[in-house]
């Protein structure tokens, strides 16, 4: 591993790193999307007028790549509507008008787990998906075709995006749950080696994990250079385990499973309490936010209510993001509901949200010099505009993970990420 992958140095802006998460009260209404994970959306299992309790299943998925959806508040189902998702698709959503009693459903009991099959079944029943932003159903990730080929679990505590500190708080405030989750995964997946990767701009988290992991065989805490996109799955695998995931392959194909630190901590909490995934800790920050902080909010809470809990806006927000400023997704307004995999809600004022003026490419090569996978974004842009499918394939555009390093480094402010995304779509359709 003589060579490190490329990347960029983004402003950390970890303004809320010392903010211990506080739990906000349940809002008057939640709108819980049935599309909470990668894979087929769930189908609502409730109807308008039904009374529901916290932790009750309100949506089930039929496919293998799925995870159930649960009520995050107690109250009455008052809507079954189509929700416009940030990617332009529509998904069914269950609206619950809260009774503010937060009564817990009778089904919420700690699961009995004594085998690998019971362990993965419990993880699926919990509704858990990747909480670092990807949203991949965790039970599927823990059930590779050939588990015997997996020898390493990497716990992702890098949190390389600007502003976001919710994972950092997990490592500081719920470190025991992280370690218990690691013990459970080691036990039921029979995996001997675990690497906890944390960027070196989080020294307290590194120290806490080293302290808690001391004496646990096969667990290593690795300090990583603070460079974006350190937390990207393939980049993290290379920098911790020294393995390269080939194009079209998954981490399990190189003997690795990557789990976000908050995800693995939740596994421990679920097996202890039986409470499924009904709330999420998110970093609330940005130039338009009055009191930035980390907040625990029920899934389905309108992001506007979360901002209101943080003192509201100090200036009119011009852009609201779910996630970080590099890979986050913009929403049209603050009525959009919180999803399972959101780790931040950010609001920016007019200055920070101003569109950059795009100018002609000057062929400086900066985009290629920072790409973690050594792609050539300028050449991809040219091939896309000329609809040269063979060249797009030769340039391996499908390797692009849309991290945004190229666009961040581009002095001409070219929309390179968007172009790469459209180029991948063109390649799929033409082939």
């Amino acid at each position: 591993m003589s060579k490190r992958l490329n990347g960029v140095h983004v402003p950390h802006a970890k303004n809320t790193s010392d903010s211990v998460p506080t739990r906000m009260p349940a809002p008057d209404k939640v709108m819980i999307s049935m599309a909470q994970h990668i894979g087929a959306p769930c189908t609502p299992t409730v109807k308008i007028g039904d009374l529901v309790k916290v932790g009750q299943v309100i949506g089930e998925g039929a496919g293998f790549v799925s995870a159930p959806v649960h009520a995050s508040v107690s109250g009455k189902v008052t809507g079954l509507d189509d929700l416009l998702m940030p990617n332009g698709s529509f998904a069914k959503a269950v609206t619950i008008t809260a009774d503010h009693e937060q009564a817990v459903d009778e089904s919420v009991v700690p699961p009995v787990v004594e085998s690998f099959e019971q362990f993965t079944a419990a993880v699926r029943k919990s509704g858990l998906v990747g909480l670092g932003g990807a949203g991949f159903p965790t039970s599927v990730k823990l059930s590779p075709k050939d588990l015997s080929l997996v020898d390493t679990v990497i716990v992702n505590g890098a949190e390389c995006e600007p502003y976001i500190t919710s994972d950092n708080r997990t490592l500081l405030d719920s470190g025991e749950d992280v370690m218990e989750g690691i013990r459970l995964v080691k036990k039921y997946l029979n995996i001997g080696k675990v690497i906890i990767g944390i960027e070196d701009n989080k020294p307290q988290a590194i120290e806490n994990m080293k302290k808690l992991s001391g004496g646990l065989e096969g667990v290593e805490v690795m300090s990583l250079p603070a460079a974006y996109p350190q937390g990207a799955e393939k980049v993290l695998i290379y920098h911790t385990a020294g393995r390269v995931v080939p194009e079209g392959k998954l981490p399990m194909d190189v003997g690795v499973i990557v789990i976000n630190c908050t995800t693995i901590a939740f596994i421990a909490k679920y097996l202890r309490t039986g409470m499924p995934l009904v709330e999420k800790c998110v970093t609330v920050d940005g130039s338009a936010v009055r009191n930035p902080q980390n907040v625990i909010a029920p899934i389905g809470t309108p992001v506007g209510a979360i901002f209101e809990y943080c003192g509201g806006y100090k200036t009119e927000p011009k852009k609201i993001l779910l996630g970080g400023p590099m890979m986050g997704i913009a929403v049209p307004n603050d009525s959009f509901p919180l999803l399972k995999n959101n780790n931040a809600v950010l609001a920016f004022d007019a200055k920070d949200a101003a569109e950059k003026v795009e100018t002609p490419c000057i062929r400086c090569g900066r985009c290629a010099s920072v790409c973690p996978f050594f792609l050539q974004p300028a050449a991809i842009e040219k091939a896309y505009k000329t609809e040269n499918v063979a060249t797009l394939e030769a340039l391996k555009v499908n390797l692009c993970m849309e991290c945004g390093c190229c666009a961040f480094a581009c002095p001409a402010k070219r929309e390179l990420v968007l172009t790469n995304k459209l180029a991948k779509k063109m390649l799929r359709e033409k082939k």
Side-chain angles (χ1 to χ4, degrees):
M1 205 166 59
S2 59
K3 188 176 182 182
R4 303 201 72 81
L5 296 184
N6 294 332
V8 293
H9 291 284
V10 296
H12 295 305
K14 304 291 189 179
N15 309 312
T16 58
S17 59
D18 294 328
S19 170
V20 178
T22 59
R23 182 172 279 101
M24 68 174 286
D28 292 333
K29 286 186 178 182
V30 294
M31 177 180 268
I32 303 177
S33 171
M34 295 292 103
Q36 295 271 358
H37 55 263
I38 292 174
C42 289
T43 300
T45 58
V46 292
K47 60 183 184 299
I48 292 176
D50 285 354
L51 299 178
V52 296
K53 296 180 179 180
V54 177
Q56 178 178 334
V57 173
I58 60 172
E60 275 282 11
F64 175 65
V65 184
S66 65
V69 178
H70 303 79
S72 59
V73 300
S74 60
K76 179 182 288 189
V77 176
T78 54
L80 291 172
D81 305 298
D82 290 324
L83 173 66
L84 178 61
M85 301 296 287
N87 65 0
S89 66
F90 283 90
K92 285 294 181 185
V94 175
T95 298
I96 303 172
T97 299
D99 58 16
H100 296 289
E101 294 180 4
Q102 289 302 86
V104 176
D105 191 64
E106 294 76 10
S107 64
V108 177
V109 294
V112 175
V113 174
E114 297 175 345
S115 66
F116 168 77
E117 290 76 16
Q118 289 179 326
F119 178 66
T120 53
V123 172
R124 187 193 186 284
K125 187 178 178 182
S126 75
L128 182 59
V129 302
L131 301 181
F136 192 80
T138 305
S139 62
V140 179
K141 178 174 283 191
L142 297 178
S143 305
K145 290 181 179 178
D146 190 347
L147 185 57
S148 67
L149 298 179
V150 178
D151 58 29
T152 303
V153 168
I154 299 173
V155 177
N156 190 347
E159 199 165 49
C160 57
E161 279 255 24
Y163 292 98
I164 308 175
T165 65
S166 52
D167 280 348
N168 182 55
R169 292 315 312 182
T170 293
L171 296 172
L172 292 174
D173 306 324
S174 302
E176 292 84 358
D177 285 325
V178 174
M179 295 312 304
E180 178 60 20
I182 288 173
R183 291 187 188 94
L184 291 165
V185 169
K186 279 173 61 67
K187 176 180 178 181
Y188 291 111
L189 274 66
N190 193 29
I191 293 176
K193 185 174 182 180
V194 176
I195 303 172
I196 306 172
I198 308 172
E199 279 194 320
D200 59 14
N201 63 347
K202 305 171 185 66
Q204 291 177 309
I206 293 171
E207 181 182 356
N208 193 43
M209 286 295 100
K210 285 185 175 180
K211 177 182 175 182
L212 292 172
S213 64
L216 187 58
E217 184 179 356
V219 178
E220 176 186 1
V221 179
M222 189 173 291
S223 176
L224 305 169
Y228 179 85
Q230 188 66 262
E233 200 167 57
K234 292 182 179 180
V235 175
L236 186 67
I237 291 170
Y238 182 79
H239 285 167
T240 54
R243 304 176 190 180
V244 175
V245 181
E247 181 181 6
K249 298 295 184 180
L250 298 171
M252 64 182 69
D253 294 314
V254 296
V256 173
I257 291 176
V258 180
I259 309 178
N260 168 266
C261 62
T262 301
T263 304
I264 206 163
F266 176 82
I267 292 174
K269 293 177 184 177
Y270 177 70
L271 264 63
R272 185 174 65 248
T273 67
M275 178 59 72
L277 184 57
V278 297
E279 62 183 15
K280 186 69 197 297
C281 177
V282 291
T283 297
V284 187
D285 204 344
S287 52
V289 179
R290 190 173 299 280
N291 300 313
Q293 58 189 285
N294 287 302
V295 176
I296 301 171
I299 303 297
T301 299
V303 295
I306 300 175
F307 287 124
E308 188 62 31
Y309 176 76
C310 296
Y313 305 116
K314 60 182 179 182
T315 185
E316 182 182 357
K318 291 298 183 181
K319 179 169 285 188
I320 295 174
L321 295 178
L322 303 178
M326 297 298 289
M327 294 187 74
I329 298 175
V331 292
N333 54 60
D334 64 8
S335 66
F336 193 83
L338 183 69
L339 303 175
K340 288 181 181 181
N341 63 327
N342 295 152
N343 50 12
V345 288
L346 309 178
F348 295 100
D349 60 22
K351 179 182 177 182
D352 286 346
E355 294 290 332
K356 301 294 190 288
V357 178
E358 189 178 63
T359 58
C361 174
I362 59 173
R363 298 291 185 259
C364 65
R366 292 185 191 178
C367 56
S369 70
V370 300
C371 176
F373 300 146
F374 308 101
L375 303 181
Q376 301 176 52
I380 291 172
E381 182 183 45
K382 181 179 179 180
Y384 168 72
K385 289 183 175 179
T386 57
E387 298 187 20
N388 191 330
V389 175
T391 300
L392 287 176
E393 191 167 18
L395 291 170
K396 295 193 176 296
V397 67
N398 280 330
L399 273 176
C400 175
M401 61 180 175
E402 301 167 22
C403 66
C405 287
C406 54
F408 180 84
C410 178
K413 307 305 176 187
R414 308 292 296 173
E415 293 186 346
L416 298 172
V417 179
L418 175 61
T419 300
N420 285 5
K421 187 178 294 189
L422 293 173
K424 288 192 287 185
K425 182 175 183 289
M426 176 185 290
L427 190 59
R428 288 195 303 270
E429 292 175 347
K430 296 290 185 179
K431 291 187 68 176

